[in-house]
Amino acid sequence: MKNILSFCVLLLLFNCNTSAQKNNNEIQKEYAVIKTDSEWKKILSEEQYYVLREAGTERPFSSPLNKNYTKGTYHCAACNTPLFLSEHKFDSGTGWPSFDREIEGNVAYGTDHNLGYSRDEEHCATCGGHLGHVFNDGPQQTTGKRHCINGVALKFVPSE
């Protein structure tokens, strides 16, 4: 009887630390802009929600921002935080808007293992929206970085 009781207590302890609760703790990370899923769904298109809130990826070569060469600033499509300057944009040939650097302090970083290997993931530092990934195969004459960003996660604001 004592063994059964010990087993039940252990089972209860392990069940109190489920992956759902761990995910809730991760979501609790503090951002300046916090909205519920239903609030995000009201202000974002389906594709924007998929990329920004579910860490999805848009099809390559599908964003008109990929070939945008107008001077201006690329903002987060969810919260309007300025993220990248047009002067740091380059054509990487990958099918996604690419930049050699971010606006310092406005992009946060994490790691994802969704493809079975580690990649440096980029998020908006203000709302936590998924932007894309950063790689070390960018222009060597500048930073050597390639910030490979989903165009649907961006809103372009032309210079005046």
Side-chain angles (χ1 to χ4, degrees):
M1 185 68 159
K2 186 176 179 181
N3 287 339
I4 293 174
L5 183 59
S6 297
F7 175 76
C8 289
V9 169
L10 282 173
L11 188 61
L12 180 63
L13 287 174
F14 281 112
N15 283 335
C16 288
N17 196 18
T18 66
S19 61
Q21 289 175 338
K22 289 178 186 173
N23 288 340
N24 283 340
N25 290 336
E26 291 171 12
I27 293 170
Q28 298 288 328
K29 184 174 180 179
E30 292 297 319
Y31 291 105
V33 174
I34 299 173
K35 297 184 184 299
T36 65
D37 283 342
S38 61
E39 290 172 323
W40 284 122
K41 286 178 179 179
K42 286 179 185 174
I43 64 170
L44 300 172
S45 71
E46 280 186 41
E47 190 175 21
Q48 286 174 321
Y49 183 86
Y50 168 67
V51 170
L52 286 159
R53 308 314 309 168
E54 296 179 335
T57 302
E58 69 187 2
R59 286 186 348 270
F61 303 102
S62 64
S63 173
L65 294 179
N66 188 42
K67 294 293 184 181
N68 179 33
Y69 300 108
T70 307
K71 290 196 181 297
T73 306
Y74 294 83
H75 292 231
C76 175
C79 71
N80 206 31
T81 297
L83 302 170
F84 302 96
L85 299 174
S86 61
E87 64 197 62
H88 300 136
K89 187 174 185 287
F90 67 97
D91 188 355
S92 65
T94 61
W96 291 279
S98 297
F99 305 85
D100 69 357
R101 69 196 80 169
E102 77 283 8
I103 295 175
E104 197 169 323
N106 292 357
V107 175
Y109 297 91
T111 304
D112 93 46
H113 303 279
N114 294 340
L115 297 179
Y117 59 92
S118 178
R119 296 185 299 170
D120 294 326
E121 186 174 15
E122 294 185 82
H123 300 271
C124 173
T126 303
C127 71
H130 171 77
L131 302 171
H133 297 86
V134 63
F135 303 96
N136 292 317
D137 59 1
Q140 293 305 307
Q141 64 273 25
T142 60
T143 64
K145 301 287 185 191
R146 173 174 54 95
H147 298 262
C148 189
I149 307 300
N150 289 284
V152 73
L154 300 173
K155 177 176 96 174
F156 181 70
V157 178
S159 297
E160 294 180 11

